[in-house]
Amino acid sequence: METARIGVTGLAVMGRNLARNLARHGHPVAVHNRTAARTKALVEEFGDEGTFLPADTPERFVASLERPRRLVIMVKAGAPTDAVIDEFAPLLEPGDMIVDGGNAHFADTRRREAALRERGIHFVGTGISGGEEGALHGPSIMPGGSAESYEALGPLLEDIAAKVDGTPCCTHVGPDGAGHFVKMVHNGIEYSDMQLIAESYDLLRHAAGLAPAEIAEVFRTWNTGRLESYLIEITAEVLAHTDAATGKPFVDVVLDQAEQKGTGRWTVQTALDLGVPVGGIAEAVFARSVSGHADLREASRNLPGPSRTAVADSGFADKVEKALYASKIVAYAQGFHEIQAGSAEYGWDIDAGAMATIWRGGCIIRARFLDRIRAAYDADPSTPTLLTDDHFAEALGDAQDAWRDVVATAARIGVPAPGFSTALAYYDSLRADRLPAALTQGQRDFFGAHTYRRVDRDGSFHTLWGGDRTEVQA
Ligand code: NBP
């Protein structure tokens, strides 16, 4: 009987395209789906692209896999993933591998990995980015799990991943939930990047008075420089698009209420747990949330404030470009800080520079900029923040006046720019000699005897605020 090198169960858009990608690369692939019609449709439509071994039951599916078995699950994250694991794990043997390519929460992946490890099965939580096109033509792949499982899986995954300069956008991220953690932060950074681009558009529209088609040209120009990226490229496409039904700019006929799925929110929740400031990602999640509160927005429409009149000078677009680049540096610095904090917390030993390398292609945040991040980690692998890298520090210095002018202009004319503003505030917070946190500590000691530390002596102290205000050692 012919055996498959790997199998995919769950053949909705992602699983189907991933299976096709494997088959197109010459890997015989077993395919299975809970509802058999999807399996049949895949083989009927794309059977000539490679060797597919369709199976109508979990037993036949597992039996068609060569040993050790490599089984990829591409089903809806959450309870469906557990259901599929429960269904297939009893059919597997020690040494076999289950790859979860869905968008699982890394904590679920850690739980599943620990449970399956006890049975000798490798559970490989794998972040896959790039949507359905990426899954078919080459995604960015972020596998976690054991180093042993990567030896058996890595070559296959690297084969189907996107390539940039011949380097696959896939590497072993680290043990258990590391892959899904990094995918989560990738999505958080994506939120931040998209929000900053949206604010750039809004400012060019209202502060510079440009029409969407003109702004599309600005983005096209930016895409030939240091901001070159997939997101800038598609922004120009969307802004240049005209609605066929009305003849209006497409962006003017779309309801301005953005959606958010789980991963942006998880990135912020996890950052709060880890104590990592990711204001850029948080503001991006909140900006989508605000946009979705139609009731709040309707009730607030007549509140007083400036009326977004165009005020900007002719060089304003260049200033926005600088503000965008500077804020983007901050967004990525915050995301990488979270990756390093997660890595330290869970003992994953993640190579941050390698994450920049595998995001250069296949995924939504793919960009020329990521080469710079790789270079920064090459220069100093233990740097506490990307902001102090020579290249980034110079860019931030060069952007200063423009960045501040853009944030001030937004505030003056009433254009909300939470992403730009929080990025600048983070930057100024890090570079400040003194922060008002000293006052906060005083307040906390006053109302709750929480104690404080002093700049000139070791130890913790408390002032007797309700008494004679002498200071005591805590
Ligand atoms: P969906 O997330 O829409 O899931 C549909 C698949 O899950 C179908 O194959 C369905 O089988 C199967 N399924 C469900 Br629902 N409950 C099941 C159960 N209890 N037992 C067995 N199978 C079950 O598919 P997708 O959009 O292809 O995404 C797959 C995974 O990839 C998700 O985790 C998603 O978050 C992740 N992801 C998606 C994208 C993207 O761009 N769409 C990008 C990156 C990652 P059925 O056909 O029998 O109903």
Short mmCIF file of all heavy atoms in Angstrom, two decimals, residues 9-16 32-36 38 73-81 83-84 87-88 100-104 128-132 183 187 261, ligand 1:
data_model
loop_
_atom_site.label_atom_id
_atom_site.label_comp_id
_atom_site.label_asym_id
_atom_site.label_seq_id
_atom_site.Cartn_x
_atom_site.Cartn_y
_atom_site.Cartn_z
N THR A 9 -5.51 16.71 8.47
CA THR A 9 -6.93 16.57 8.75
C THR A 9 -7.50 17.95 9.06
O THR A 9 -6.88 18.72 9.79
CB THR A 9 -7.23 15.56 9.89
OG1 THR A 9 -8.66 15.49 10.03
CG2 THR A 9 -6.61 15.96 11.22
N GLY A 10 -8.64 18.24 8.46
CA GLY A 10 -9.22 19.59 8.53
C GLY A 10 -8.93 20.26 7.21
O GLY A 10 -7.83 20.79 6.99
N LEU A 11 -9.90 20.18 6.30
CA LEU A 11 -9.62 20.64 4.92
C LEU A 11 -10.47 21.84 4.52
O LEU A 11 -10.96 21.94 3.40
CB LEU A 11 -9.83 19.47 3.94
CG LEU A 11 -8.96 18.24 4.18
CD1 LEU A 11 -9.36 17.11 3.24
CD2 LEU A 11 -7.47 18.58 4.01
N ALA A 12 -10.65 22.78 5.48
CA ALA A 12 -11.24 24.07 5.10
C ALA A 12 -10.14 24.84 4.35
O ALA A 12 -9.14 24.24 3.94
CB ALA A 12 -11.75 24.79 6.33
N VAL A 13 -10.27 26.15 4.18
CA VAL A 13 -9.32 26.86 3.32
C VAL A 13 -7.85 26.62 3.66
O VAL A 13 -7.03 26.36 2.78
CB VAL A 13 -9.57 28.39 3.31
CG1 VAL A 13 -10.74 28.74 2.45
CG2 VAL A 13 -9.72 28.94 4.70
N MET A 14 -7.52 26.65 4.97
CA MET A 14 -6.11 26.55 5.35
C MET A 14 -5.56 25.14 5.14
O MET A 14 -4.50 24.94 4.54
CB MET A 14 -5.93 26.96 6.82
CG MET A 14 -6.10 28.43 7.08
SD MET A 14 -4.85 29.44 6.26
CE MET A 14 -3.40 29.08 7.24
N GLY A 15 -6.30 24.16 5.63
CA GLY A 15 -5.84 22.78 5.52
C GLY A 15 -5.74 22.32 4.08
O GLY A 15 -4.78 21.65 3.68
N ARG A 16 -6.74 22.70 3.30
CA ARG A 16 -6.75 22.29 1.89
C ARG A 16 -5.52 22.85 1.17
O ARG A 16 -4.81 22.14 0.45
CB ARG A 16 -8.03 22.81 1.21
CG ARG A 16 -8.18 22.37 -0.22
CD ARG A 16 -9.34 23.05 -0.87
NE ARG A 16 -9.15 24.50 -0.84
CZ ARG A 16 -10.05 25.38 -1.28
NH1 ARG A 16 -11.21 24.97 -1.74
NH2 ARG A 16 -9.80 26.68 -1.24
N HIS A 32 -7.84 14.18 5.12
CA HIS A 32 -9.04 13.73 5.83
C HIS A 32 -9.77 14.95 6.36
O HIS A 32 -9.16 15.96 6.70
CB HIS A 32 -8.63 12.82 7.01
CG HIS A 32 -9.76 12.50 7.93
ND1 HIS A 32 -10.03 13.24 9.07
CD2 HIS A 32 -10.71 11.53 7.87
CE1 HIS A 32 -11.09 12.73 9.67
NE2 HIS A 32 -11.52 11.70 8.97
N ASN A 33 -11.08 14.84 6.40
CA ASN A 33 -11.90 15.90 6.99
C ASN A 33 -13.11 15.26 7.64
O ASN A 33 -13.61 14.24 7.15
CB ASN A 33 -12.34 16.89 5.90
CG ASN A 33 -12.95 18.14 6.48
OD1 ASN A 33 -12.26 18.94 7.11
ND2 ASN A 33 -14.26 18.32 6.30
N ARG A 34 -13.58 15.87 8.75
CA ARG A 34 -14.76 15.31 9.44
C ARG A 34 -15.89 15.08 8.45
O ARG A 34 -16.48 14.01 8.41
CB ARG A 34 -15.18 16.26 10.56
CG ARG A 34 -16.44 15.83 11.29
CD ARG A 34 -16.81 16.80 12.38
NE ARG A 34 -17.13 18.14 11.86
CZ ARG A 34 -17.56 19.15 12.59
NH1 ARG A 34 -17.71 18.98 13.90
NH2 ARG A 34 -17.83 20.32 12.05
N THR A 35 -16.17 16.11 7.64
CA THR A 35 -17.20 15.95 6.63
C THR A 35 -16.52 15.51 5.33
O THR A 35 -15.72 16.25 4.76
CB THR A 35 -17.92 17.30 6.40
OG1 THR A 35 -18.31 17.81 7.68
CG2 THR A 35 -19.13 17.17 5.50
N ALA A 36 -16.81 14.29 4.92
CA ALA A 36 -16.04 13.67 3.83
C ALA A 36 -16.14 14.43 2.50
O ALA A 36 -15.24 14.33 1.65
CB ALA A 36 -16.50 12.23 3.64
N ARG A 38 -15.59 17.43 1.80
CA ARG A 38 -14.43 18.33 1.58
C ARG A 38 -13.24 17.53 1.05
O ARG A 38 -12.49 18.02 0.21
CB ARG A 38 -14.02 19.00 2.88
CG ARG A 38 -14.87 20.19 3.29
CD ARG A 38 -14.05 20.98 4.32
NE ARG A 38 -14.86 21.74 5.25
CZ ARG A 38 -15.22 23.00 5.06
NH1 ARG A 38 -14.89 23.63 3.96
NH2 ARG A 38 -15.93 23.64 5.98
N ILE A 73 -3.06 18.93 12.09
CA ILE A 73 -4.46 19.28 12.36
C ILE A 73 -4.69 20.73 11.93
O ILE A 73 -3.98 21.63 12.39
CB ILE A 73 -4.77 19.17 13.87
CG1 ILE A 73 -4.53 17.76 14.38
CG2 ILE A 73 -6.19 19.61 14.16
CD1 ILE A 73 -4.77 17.63 15.88
N MET A 74 -5.65 20.94 11.05
CA MET A 74 -5.97 22.32 10.62
C MET A 74 -7.46 22.58 10.82
O MET A 74 -8.21 22.76 9.86
CB MET A 74 -5.60 22.52 9.14
CG MET A 74 -4.12 22.62 8.88
SD MET A 74 -3.27 23.90 9.80
CE MET A 74 -3.83 25.35 8.98
N VAL A 75 -7.89 22.49 12.08
CA VAL A 75 -9.31 22.73 12.35
C VAL A 75 -9.47 23.99 13.20
O VAL A 75 -8.48 24.59 13.61
CB VAL A 75 -9.98 21.52 13.06
CG1 VAL A 75 -9.86 20.27 12.21
CG2 VAL A 75 -9.42 21.30 14.46
N LYS A 76 -10.69 24.37 13.43
CA LYS A 76 -10.98 25.56 14.21
C LYS A 76 -10.32 25.44 15.58
O LYS A 76 -10.39 24.37 16.22
CB LYS A 76 -12.51 25.65 14.38
CG LYS A 76 -13.03 27.03 14.53
CD LYS A 76 -14.55 26.98 14.57
CE LYS A 76 -15.15 28.35 14.45
NZ LYS A 76 -14.83 29.03 13.19
N ALA A 77 -9.67 26.52 16.03
CA ALA A 77 -8.95 26.47 17.30
C ALA A 77 -9.94 26.35 18.46
O ALA A 77 -11.09 26.76 18.36
CB ALA A 77 -8.10 27.73 17.45
N GLY A 78 -9.46 25.79 19.57
CA GLY A 78 -10.31 25.64 20.76
C GLY A 78 -10.82 24.22 20.89
O GLY A 78 -10.09 23.25 20.64
N ALA A 79 -12.11 24.09 21.24
CA ALA A 79 -12.68 22.77 21.49
C ALA A 79 -12.54 21.82 20.30
O ALA A 79 -12.25 20.62 20.50
CB ALA A 79 -14.15 22.91 21.90
N PRO A 80 -12.72 22.27 19.04
CA PRO A 80 -12.54 21.34 17.92
C PRO A 80 -11.14 20.71 17.90
O PRO A 80 -11.01 19.52 17.58
CB PRO A 80 -12.77 22.21 16.69
CG PRO A 80 -13.70 23.28 17.15
CD PRO A 80 -13.26 23.58 18.56
N THR A 81 -10.12 21.48 18.26
CA THR A 81 -8.75 20.93 18.26
C THR A 81 -8.65 19.81 19.31
O THR A 81 -8.10 18.73 19.03
CB THR A 81 -7.72 22.03 18.55
OG1 THR A 81 -7.90 23.06 17.59
CG2 THR A 81 -6.30 21.51 18.48
N ALA A 83 -11.09 18.00 20.40
CA ALA A 83 -11.89 16.87 19.93
C ALA A 83 -11.10 16.03 18.94
O ALA A 83 -11.12 14.79 18.99
CB ALA A 83 -13.19 17.38 19.29
N VAL A 84 -10.39 16.70 18.04
CA VAL A 84 -9.63 15.97 17.02
C VAL A 84 -8.45 15.23 17.66
O VAL A 84 -8.15 14.08 17.31
CB VAL A 84 -9.17 16.93 15.90
CG1 VAL A 84 -8.26 16.22 14.92
CG2 VAL A 84 -10.38 17.49 15.17
N GLU A 87 -9.64 12.17 19.25
CA GLU A 87 -10.04 11.17 18.26
C GLU A 87 -8.81 10.44 17.70
O GLU A 87 -8.84 9.22 17.49
CB GLU A 87 -10.78 11.89 17.13
CG GLU A 87 -11.54 10.98 16.21
CD GLU A 87 -12.40 11.80 15.24
OE1 GLU A 87 -12.21 13.02 15.12
OE2 GLU A 87 -13.25 11.17 14.58
N PHE A 88 -7.74 11.19 17.45
CA PHE A 88 -6.60 10.60 16.74
C PHE A 88 -5.52 10.04 17.66
O PHE A 88 -4.85 9.05 17.29
CB PHE A 88 -5.97 11.63 15.79
CG PHE A 88 -6.78 11.83 14.55
CD1 PHE A 88 -7.80 12.77 14.52
CD2 PHE A 88 -6.56 11.06 13.42
CE1 PHE A 88 -8.58 12.96 13.38
CE2 PHE A 88 -7.33 11.23 12.27
CZ PHE A 88 -8.34 12.18 12.26
N ASP A 100 -0.24 20.92 15.36
CA ASP A 100 -1.44 21.75 15.35
C ASP A 100 -1.10 23.07 14.65
O ASP A 100 -0.40 23.91 15.21
CB ASP A 100 -1.92 22.01 16.79
CG ASP A 100 -3.10 22.99 16.82
OD1 ASP A 100 -3.73 23.19 15.75
OD2 ASP A 100 -3.37 23.56 17.89
N GLY A 101 -1.61 23.21 13.43
CA GLY A 101 -1.32 24.42 12.64
C GLY A 101 -2.37 25.50 12.80
O GLY A 101 -2.32 26.51 12.12
N GLY A 102 -3.34 25.29 13.71
CA GLY A 102 -4.37 26.30 13.93
C GLY A 102 -3.87 27.43 14.82
O GLY A 102 -2.75 27.37 15.33
N ASN A 103 -4.73 28.41 15.02
CA ASN A 103 -4.35 29.55 15.86
C ASN A 103 -4.67 29.27 17.32
O ASN A 103 -5.53 29.92 17.91
CB ASN A 103 -5.11 30.80 15.40
CG ASN A 103 -4.33 31.59 14.37
OD1 ASN A 103 -3.11 31.43 14.26
ND2 ASN A 103 -5.01 32.43 13.64
N ALA A 104 -3.97 28.32 17.91
CA ALA A 104 -4.25 27.97 19.31
C ALA A 104 -3.60 28.98 20.25
O ALA A 104 -2.60 29.60 19.92
CB ALA A 104 -3.69 26.58 19.60
N ILE A 128 1.20 29.35 11.82
CA ILE A 128 1.28 29.45 10.36
C ILE A 128 0.66 30.77 9.96
O ILE A 128 -0.50 31.04 10.28
CB ILE A 128 0.53 28.28 9.68
CG1 ILE A 128 1.15 26.94 10.10
CG2 ILE A 128 0.56 28.43 8.15
CD1 ILE A 128 0.53 25.71 9.44
N SER A 129 1.45 31.60 9.31
CA SER A 129 0.94 32.92 8.93
C SER A 129 0.95 33.10 7.43
O SER A 129 1.79 32.53 6.73
CB SER A 129 1.79 34.02 9.57
OG SER A 129 1.31 35.27 9.15
N GLY A 130 0.03 33.89 6.95
CA GLY A 130 -0.01 34.19 5.52
C GLY A 130 -1.38 33.93 4.92
O GLY A 130 -1.56 34.07 3.71
N GLY A 131 -2.32 33.51 5.76
CA GLY A 131 -3.68 33.27 5.27
C GLY A 131 -3.71 32.14 4.26
O GLY A 131 -2.76 31.35 4.15
N GLU A 132 -4.80 32.07 3.49
CA GLU A 132 -4.95 30.93 2.58
C GLU A 132 -3.96 30.99 1.43
O GLU A 132 -3.47 29.95 0.97
CB GLU A 132 -6.38 30.81 2.07
CG GLU A 132 -6.96 32.05 1.47
CD GLU A 132 -8.43 31.82 1.04
OE1 GLU A 132 -8.65 30.96 0.20
OE2 GLU A 132 -9.30 32.53 1.55
N LYS A 183 3.67 33.21 17.16
CA LYS A 183 2.63 33.53 16.18
C LYS A 183 1.64 34.56 16.77
O LYS A 183 1.20 35.48 16.07
CB LYS A 183 1.88 32.25 15.76
CG LYS A 183 0.62 32.49 14.92
CD LYS A 183 0.96 33.08 13.58
CE LYS A 183 -0.12 33.26 12.57
NZ LYS A 183 -1.50 33.28 12.87
N ASN A 187 0.91 38.34 15.35
CA ASN A 187 -0.39 38.93 15.05
C ASN A 187 -0.60 40.24 15.80
O ASN A 187 -1.21 41.17 15.27
CB ASN A 187 -1.50 37.94 15.39
CG ASN A 187 -1.62 36.83 14.37
OD1 ASN A 187 -0.66 36.53 13.67
ND2 ASN A 187 -2.77 36.19 14.29
N LYS A 261 -10.16 39.45 16.12
CA LYS A 261 -10.30 38.07 16.59
C LYS A 261 -9.43 37.92 17.83
O LYS A 261 -9.01 38.89 18.43
CB LYS A 261 -9.90 37.11 15.48
CG LYS A 261 -10.88 37.10 14.31
CD LYS A 261 -10.73 35.83 13.49
CE LYS A 261 -11.13 36.09 12.05
NZ LYS A 261 -10.48 35.18 11.12
P1 NBP B 1 -11.90 26.92 10.21
O1 NBP B 1 -11.24 27.59 11.37
O2 NBP B 1 -13.06 27.59 9.59
O3 NBP B 1 -12.33 25.45 10.68
C1 NBP B 1 -13.04 24.61 9.81
C2 NBP B 1 -12.49 23.21 9.88
O4 NBP B 1 -12.58 22.69 11.23
C3 NBP B 1 -13.29 22.25 9.01
O5 NBP B 1 -12.39 21.33 8.44
C4 NBP B 1 -14.21 21.59 10.02
O6 NBP B 1 -14.67 20.34 9.62
C5 NBP B 1 -13.27 21.43 11.17
N1 NBP B 1 -13.92 21.11 12.45
C6 NBP B 1 -14.69 21.88 13.28
BR1 NBP B 1 -15.21 23.59 12.92
N2 NBP B 1 -15.10 21.24 14.38
C7 NBP B 1 -14.57 20.01 14.27
C8 NBP B 1 -14.62 18.86 15.11
N3 NBP B 1 -15.25 18.89 16.28
N4 NBP B 1 -13.99 17.74 14.68
C9 NBP B 1 -13.33 17.71 13.51
N5 NBP B 1 -13.24 18.76 12.69
C10 NBP B 1 -13.84 19.91 13.05
O7 NBP B 1 -10.82 26.58 9.08
P2 NBP B 1 -9.65 27.50 8.45
O8 NBP B 1 -10.09 28.89 8.22
O9 NBP B 1 -9.10 26.69 7.34
O10 NBP B 1 -8.56 27.55 9.63
C11 NBP B 1 -7.98 26.38 10.18
C12 NBP B 1 -7.09 26.79 11.33
O11 NBP B 1 -6.06 27.64 10.84
C13 NBP B 1 -7.81 27.59 12.41
O12 NBP B 1 -7.31 27.25 13.67
C14 NBP B 1 -7.47 29.01 12.09
O13 NBP B 1 -7.50 29.86 13.22
C15 NBP B 1 -6.05 28.85 11.55
N6 NBP B 1 -5.61 29.92 10.64
C16 NBP B 1 -6.44 30.42 9.71
C17 NBP B 1 -6.00 31.42 8.85
C18 NBP B 1 -6.89 31.96 7.79
O14 NBP B 1 -6.47 32.89 7.10
N7 NBP B 1 -8.09 31.43 7.60
C19 NBP B 1 -4.69 31.87 8.95
C20 NBP B 1 -3.85 31.31 9.88
C21 NBP B 1 -4.32 30.32 10.73
P3 NBP B 1 -16.05 20.23 8.78
O15 NBP B 1 -15.69 20.51 7.35
O16 NBP B 1 -16.48 18.82 9.00
O17 NBP B 1 -17.00 21.24 9.35
#
